[in-house]
Amino acid sequence: MSTTHAAVAVALVSLATLGIGAFGLRVSRTTSDFYVASRSVSPSLNSSAIGGEYLSAASFLGVAGLVLTSGPDVLWYPIGWTAGYLLLLVLVAAPLRRSGAYTIPDFAQVRLQSVAVRRAATLLVVGVGWLYLMPQFQGAGLTLRTVSGSPGWVGMVLVAGIVVVNVVAGGMRSITFVQAFQYWLKLTALLVPAVFLLRAWALDGAPSPVAPDAWFAPWSTNDAQGLYTTYSVLVATFLGTMGLPHVVVRFYTNPDGHAARRTTLIVLALIGGFYLLPTVYGVLGRVYASDLVAAGRADTVVLELPARVLGGGLGDVLSALVTAGAFAAFLSTSSGLTMAIAGVVGQSLASGPLAGRLSPISSLRLAAAGCVLVPLGLALAAEPIPVATSVTFAFALAASTFCPLLVLGIWWRGLTAPGALAGMAGGGLAALLATVLALSDRPGGWTGTLVGQPALWTVPLGFGLMVGVSLLTRSRVPTTVARTMVRLHTPERVDVQR
Amino acid sequence: MPDRPGEPGGRVRVTSPLTSAAAPHGRRSARQEIDEETGVGDVYVRSLVSTQLRSALAVVAALALGLGSLPLVFALVPDVADARLGPVPLPWLLLGFVVYPTLLALGWVYVRRSERAEADFTDLVDPRSVEDVPR
């Protein structure tokens, strides 16, 4: 594909992102604008923004690449990412909004009245966020290298730079507009080329994919380890979604609990619709581009197909469109994550070490710039790993820590601060240790499987510790729990004290 | 309201002293019970929370039994894994397409149920606020 087209596409997306961000800057004034867009985002705009932010590089490029490599086994990833939203809807959406907190650490403090739990949650937000940001930056580098031959660091630095400028400039208000735009851009960028590709494929006589038998079957590794891996992916994605900082923070931008539910329902439709498409690319990839598997470049199948199948001017234009979509994917997810981390860290800075010396808005800006540097450094230093795999670790960490905190905090009066701390520490350390082992040592056999997909044992560990220690420390149940339950569960229109 | 006391020609309500004596122990609103964290107020809130939790757990169970059993079924019953609907293998159809509308439908049913539970709760606790809210 031509380098000029790709460069133009990336430049256009970057400019549109900055332009919409600048528009947001004109309307962002108050602290509440910066942190939660003044809690006034309508369900339709908010759900587009959530869709835009949630569909990351792993969804846009990774799923098609995995389908190309391994067949239907990996369809569990997009299913889990969608079902995660359903669980978010039924277990936490409305109560979380009604808690009135800005962030997960805020929620923890409101519910458990403990500064220690708040600090632990803040640390975890940063950890999960960094784990998720790193592959986004790496993916940006990979994409730009594929389409234009530039060195890997160019894409990473470009994405990081734009994200920081947008968060620094306009905060949550800006980011909401940017992300809503990027959802529709991503959908178009995958849908339009898919229509042309399918037409070309039909005119071609609809050839069947060429692949070994195992690729067609849903059970290529028909053994206990394969089964364990699938269920672990399901647990991580089902339960991890509700604990991702950039997902949760968006719920505070809803006007009320009722709107939070409606927003989540629209999000289910938006992301479910989107996930029908990567499978098409993966399967067509088996027809026209199966050499990418052997070359170890399966992640680029979405970018390569238009040029290979259609060729000519149409192929170039569509390639540019897909590139634009991929770039939008990195930008929107990274913006959301940076916003979420910066929101949490900025708040701690403003109330802690820098209290009185920095306004809340300035500390948000400072935090955004600081928080991007670490994952950018990691992305530049680390070996590239397949995007869909690496985000799984972030999901596993979130599922083992924030999922029990939110679910038990919302539904169980018996949760205590020591219980929450024990669960977050135990589940979190186990998930982190597994990640480090899997990425550095790469053990084989059962050990490799257990640390490669840790959620199936770290999530029960997190839940178990949280419940067990809470039961042992019953005297520490906060005295405010009855009032908090009223606040979390009663509809806003009922006029009770909250 | 025809019976405004004190207006000429209007009706006057006559109450027995027994009723007015009983008033201080009479019914208090559910809202008051909740605000004052009495046992009765607690029962109202707990029943709302447990209704909502039941709806949520019903969805979780549907998800675990429906979607969660698929990997096992594919592994244990090869006939299902090998079945085809026209040219498309059944597992591809299920995992690539059918799952998504099903998840959306589950979410829609849940939202209806939980909104209805909240409307019932509002009716019970704070009837004044119900009128302006479409159900």
Side-chain angles (χ1 to χ4, degrees):
Chain A
M1 121 179 229
S2 90
T3 312
T4 353
H5 279 85
V8 170
V10 169
L12 280 180
V13 173
S14 307
L15 285 178
T17 304
L18 288 170
I20 299 173
F23 168 71
L25 176 61
R26 290 180 44 205
V27 292
S28 289
R29 287 286 175 272
T30 62
T31 306
S32 178
D33 275 343
F34 272 80
Y35 279 86
V36 286
S38 294
R39 302 180 190 274
S40 57
V41 184
S42 71
S44 53
L45 177 63
N46 212 5
S47 48
S48 295
I50 293 178
E53 149 184 280
Y54 192 53
L55 299 171
S56 69
S59 304
F60 197 90
L61 301 176
V63 173
L66 282 174
V67 170
L68 173 66
T69 314
S70 336
D73 286 351
V74 298
L75 291 177
W76 289 115
Y77 282 97
I79 289 175
W81 292 330
T82 315
Y85 256 98
L86 181 61
L87 288 182
L88 176 80
L89 167 69
V90 305
L91 290 171
V92 304
L96 190 60
R97 170 61 193 87
R98 286 175 180 146
S99 71
Y102 280 105
T103 58
I104 297 187
D106 270 349
F107 170 83
Q109 192 171 19
V110 166
R111 173 66 178 80
L112 295 166
Q113 306 285 312
S114 153
V115 177
V117 178
R118 181 198 180 88
R119 293 216 177 99
T122 304
L123 268 181
L124 270 170
V125 166
V126 176
V128 175
W130 282 351
L131 261 183
Y132 212 107
L133 266 176
M134 192 190 88
Q136 305 302 325
F137 291 156
Q138 284 194 334
L142 173 85
T143 304
L144 225 61
R145 202 177 58 208
T146 306
V147 299
S148 72
S150 65
W153 62 267
V154 176
M156 301 190 201
V157 173
L158 189 61
V159 166
I162 295 175
V163 164
V164 170
V165 167
N166 260 355
V167 174
V168 164
M172 197 55 144
R173 258 274 156 93
S174 284
I175 294 293
T176 302
F177 292 122
V178 169
Q179 286 172 334
F181 159 72
Q182 279 164 344
Y183 170 80
W184 295 104
L185 175 62
K186 275 183 267 191
L187 187 68
T188 314
L190 221 47
L191 184 62
V192 173
V195 171
F196 280 100
L197 287 171
L198 284 172
R199 201 173 126 255
W201 172 73
L203 290 175
D204 206 12
S208 292
V210 184
D213 279 348
W215 182 80
F216 291 95
W219 211 245
S220 47
T221 46
N222 195 357
D223 58 7
Q225 280 189 42
L227 209 56
Y228 167 87
T229 303
T230 302
Y231 276 108
S232 203
V233 168
L234 287 184
V235 168
T237 50
F238 279 27
L239 301 176
T241 305
M242 70 179 75
L244 295 178
H246 62 306
V247 170
V248 166
V249 79
R250 287 232 71 100
F251 279 84
Y252 304 108
T253 60
N254 285 299
D256 57 24
H258 175 74
R261 283 206 190 97
R262 281 203 35 214
T263 301
T264 321
L265 198 57
I266 305 175
V267 171
L268 267 178
L270 293 181
I271 58 181
F274 179 89
Y275 281 136
L276 300 177
L277 296 169
T279 318
V280 172
Y281 283 83
V283 173
L284 287 180
R286 267 293 164 182
V287 182
Y288 295 109
S290 43
D291 58 298
L292 289 176
V293 180
R297 295 195 298 130
D299 269 352
T300 64
V301 64
V302 171
L303 301 169
E304 301 244 355
L305 268 184
R308 287 197 185 202
V309 178
L310 302 162
L314 180 65
D316 272 352
V317 170
L318 292 179
S319 294
L321 183 60
V322 200
T323 310
F327 217 68
F330 306 123
L331 281 178
S332 57
T333 304
S334 316
S335 309
L337 282 161
T338 307
M339 182 60 225
I341 306 174
V344 169
V345 175
Q347 217 181 17
S348 317
L349 286 180
S351 63
L354 298 174
R357 276 183 288 167
L358 265 187
S359 73
I361 295 176
S362 310
S363 49
L364 176 77
R365 291 174 162 164
L366 184 72
C371 287
V372 162
L373 287 177
V374 174
L376 182 62
L378 281 175
L380 288 167
E383 291 275 304
I385 28 182
V387 263
T389 320
S390 51
V391 299
T392 309
F393 290 115
F395 273 93
L397 180 58
S400 322
T401 54
F402 287 143
C403 169
L405 177 71
L406 290 170
V407 170
L408 295 174
I410 287 170
W411 299 106
W412 186 47
R413 288 168 192 245
L415 184 67
T416 65
L421 277 178
M424 285 197 288
L429 285 178
L432 269 181
L433 196 69
T435 308
V436 171
L437 272 178
L439 293 182
S440 61
D441 255 22
R442 306 188 184 193
W446 260 110
T447 325
T449 311
L450 286 172
V451 298
Q453 291 293 349
L456 198 55
W457 57 277
T458 55
V459 173
L461 182 71
F463 266 103
L465 279 172
M466 230 176 250
V467 173
V469 175
S470 290
L471 288 176
L472 290 176
T473 53
R474 271 197 197 117
S475 59
R476 302 278 307 272
V477 171
T479 48
T480 52
V481 68
R483 180 66 47 210
T484 312
M485 283 293 165
V486 171
R487 187 209 278 209
L488 293 180
H489 292 280
T490 54
E492 284 85 352
R493 58 178 184 267
V494 176
D495 179 27
V496 289
Q497 289 167 29
R498 287 162 205 280
Chain B
M1 230 188 264
D3 49 348
R4 257 178 240 145
E7 277 179 30
R11 293 188 200 171
V12 176
R13 186 190 292 265
V14 180
T15 49
S16 121
L18 271 178
T19 332
S20 66
H25 307 286
R27 289 190 51 164
R28 300 185 314 147
S29 80
R31 224 155 46 79
Q32 273 176 311
E33 303 279 0
I34 292 173
D35 279 346
E36 286 159 24
E37 295 185 28
T38 60
V40 180
D42 200 42
V43 169
Y44 283 120
V45 177
R46 276 178 196 270
S47 86
L48 172 69
V49 174
S50 70
T51 311
Q52 299 289 42
L53 184 59
R54 267 200 304 278
S55 309
L57 290 181
V59 173
V60 175
L63 208 58
L65 292 177
L67 209 52
S69 66
L70 278 182
L72 262 183
V73 170
F74 289 149
L76 300 177
V77 193
D79 283 351
V80 177
D82 295 337
R84 276 168 177 270
L85 218 79
V88 188
L90 184 66
W92 284 87
L93 192 70
L94 285 177
L95 301 183
F97 182 75
V98 178
V99 164
Y100 296 103
T102 314
L103 290 176
L104 183 62
L106 269 176
W108 187 74
V109 171
Y110 167 80
V111 168
R112 277 190 45 146
R113 277 181 65 164
S114 67
E115 299 278 306
R116 187 170 303 157
E118 281 180 5
D120 289 346
F121 177 81
T122 311
D123 253 343
L124 188 72
V125 172
D126 197 6
R128 296 167 311 159
S129 68
V130 179
E131 286 144 26
D132 52 316
V133 179
R135 289 181 59 185

